[in-house]
Amino acid sequence: AQSVAQPEDQVNVAEGNPLTVKCTYSVSGNPYLFWYVQYPNRGLQFLLKYITGDNLVKGSYGFEAEFNKSQTSFHLKKPSALVSDSALYFCAVRTRSGNTPLVFGKGTRLSVIA
Amino acid sequence: DGGITQSPKYLFRKEGQNVTLSCEQNLNHDAMYWYRQDPGQGLRLIYYSQIVNDFQKGDIAEGYSVSREKKESFPLTVTSAQKNPTAFYLCASRRGQGLTDTQYFGPGTRLTVL
């Protein structure tokens, strides 16, 4: 069974500081990994995904994520946080074997303080 | 959100009534999904369809029904059997059978039971 854990319900960071939102996963075999962002009362917006290749994936709005197979992690990062980055972030995983739907974590609320 | 529309944005229902949430996409995507979002619980899969005239139950299908008569439409009916239907409902779609394809979301419908 696939599962995703986002160990922090809330992350607070000062504007201009680097931010990290953590994600660990559990799948059989190699995963496909995704990050989405959700603003209040809106749908989810796709940020980036890891398919294969370079472990550092760059995405929208200056975000990047690092795939670490040994630690089964896919943490989302940004070098300098903006107040406008404040939102709810979701990590998701899909196994490479079988066409199964994405499995989402419970989300992490990021608050960037000016 | 572009390419996937959900209506209405807000929906109020009296207990015992069935209601239907609309989801339409003009992306020519084969696969469509319905998720339910509750605070602190992330996204939970209700139903999904990978092709017209076929659909599968997700993790929390009880009290819900769907149809997929057209490629671009995947309506969700919340029946009176769903005991706690108040939630934010998100529709999503994905291009096809490719496991690396990105899943895109609509803007959501907020359902409130009065």
Side-chain angles (χ1 to χ4, degrees):
Chain A
Q2 309 165 88
S3 67
V4 174
Q6 294 183 241
E8 301 157 316
D9 292 335
Q10 173 94 30
V11 170
N12 297 319
V13 64
E15 187 176 30
N17 282 4
L19 69 88
T20 298
V21 182
K22 296 179 180 178
C23 171
T24 59
Y25 64 89
S26 175
V27 297
S28 301
N30 293 316
Y32 295 122
L33 294 155
F34 300 77
W35 274 103
Y36 288 83
V37 60
Q38 185 182 34
Y39 297 98
N41 294 311
R42 302 289 299 276
L44 275 66
Q45 295 179 30
F46 169 71
L47 279 178
L48 52 81
K49 64 184 177 183
Y50 171 79
I51 303 301
T52 188
D54 193 348
N55 289 343
L56 185 64
V57 179
K58 294 188 182 298
S60 306
Y61 312 120
F63 284 93
E64 57 189 27
E66 186 169 11
F67 172 62
N68 187 317
K69 187 175 181 178
S70 63
Q71 297 185 7
T72 62
S73 67
F74 189 55
H75 300 332
L76 182 70
K77 300 180 180 184
K78 187 174 183 182
S80 178
L82 300 172
V83 172
S84 58
D85 293 330
S86 299
L88 189 57
Y89 290 81
F90 289 96
C91 182
V93 66
R94 176 184 296 127
T95 181
R96 295 187 183 215
S97 58
N99 194 8
T100 55
L102 283 177
V103 173
F104 286 83
K106 292 188 176 183
T108 297
R109 187 165 300 282
L110 173 68
S111 180
V112 181
I113 304 162
Chain B
D1 295 350
I4 304 174
T5 57
Q6 291 186 242
S7 61
K9 186 174 178 64
Y10 298 96
L11 185 58
F12 298 91
R13 186 193 98 174
K14 294 181 180 179
E15 285 192 26
Q17 286 182 335
N18 292 356
V19 290
T20 298
L21 282 59
S22 171
C23 178
E24 304 276 333
Q25 53 97 2
N26 62 3
L27 302 169
N28 199 33
H29 285 176
D30 289 313
M32 297 186 74
Y33 307 83
W34 274 106
Y35 292 89
R36 170 179 171 146
Q37 184 177 17
D38 296 280
Q41 296 197 48
L43 273 68
R44 293 183 290 169
L45 183 65
I46 304 173
Y47 269 98
Y48 65 103
S49 168
Q50 300 195 68
I51 196 169
V52 175
N53 293 322
D54 187 41
F55 49 83
Q56 289 78 41
K57 293 181 179 180
D59 300 319
I60 56 165
E62 185 175 353
Y64 300 96
S65 66
V66 293
S67 62
R68 188 82 187 280
E69 298 177 359
K70 298 186 296 182
K71 187 175 186 178
E72 58 270 23
S73 179
F74 191 41
L76 173 73
T77 296
V78 184
T79 75
S80 57
Q82 170 52 238
K83 297 307 178 188
N84 186 23
T86 294
F88 191 50
Y89 291 86
L90 289 160
C91 178
S93 70
R94 186 163 68 93
R95 184 173 58 184
Q97 300 297 316
L99 298 180
T100 63
D101 292 343
T102 298
Q103 192 166 303
Y104 295 98
F105 284 81
T109 292
R110 186 166 296 281
L111 173 63
T112 303
V113 174
L114 303 173

